[in-house]
Amino acid sequence: MSDMTFEKMINQMTPAIYQSLKQAVELRKWPDGRYLSAEQTELCMEAVMRYEVENNVPEENRVGYLEQRTCGAESSGQGVSPELAGLGKDATRG
């Protein structure tokens, strides 16, 4: 697929198409049950991410968003014990 064709596809993508592609990537198969190839998965993922950026989808709703967890400490993670942060005992050794 040429870049120009891909650009046009992104610009013409509707919210319904975006949701369908996003679901296809999540399930690794098309709505009719056929599995996506590796290339199809990659192209669909790129299309979904480009759509999200160009349409200002809130960050927390984007593909791959991970909420920061600090176990109740300040957002920097300062003061969180290694055990609460999920680090193994060996990670605390110097």
Side-chain angles (χ1 to χ4, degrees):
M1 178 178 291
S2 72
D3 286 340
M4 188 58 169
T5 303
F6 192 77
E7 285 294 325
K8 283 183 180 179
M9 183 192 75
I10 299 299
N11 292 332
Q12 296 174 359
M13 191 182 305
T14 65
I17 292 171
Y18 159 73
Q19 287 297 331
S20 180
L21 289 176
K22 187 175 177 182
Q23 183 179 25
V25 170
E26 290 170 354
L27 300 176
R28 300 290 195 260
K29 60 183 176 179
W30 296 111
D32 67 2
R34 292 178 295 132
Y35 286 96
L36 274 71
S37 69
E39 182 180 16
Q40 289 171 329
T41 301
E42 185 178 328
L43 287 170
C44 288
M45 179 64 87
E46 183 177 349
V48 166
M49 291 188 311
R50 295 268 303 271
Y51 176 91
E52 291 173 342
V53 169
E54 292 183 18
N55 289 278
N56 299 315
V57 173
E59 186 175 306
E60 63 273 7
N61 294 337
R62 293 182 185 179
V63 166
Y65 173 78
L66 296 174
E67 185 176 345
Q68 289 192 2
R69 296 174 29 192
T70 60
C71 301
E74 56 189 70
S75 63
S76 68
Q78 296 276 338
V80 176
S81 72
E83 292 80 20
L84 286 177
L87 300 175
K89 292 180 183 178
D90 291 342
T92 62
R93 295 183 185 171

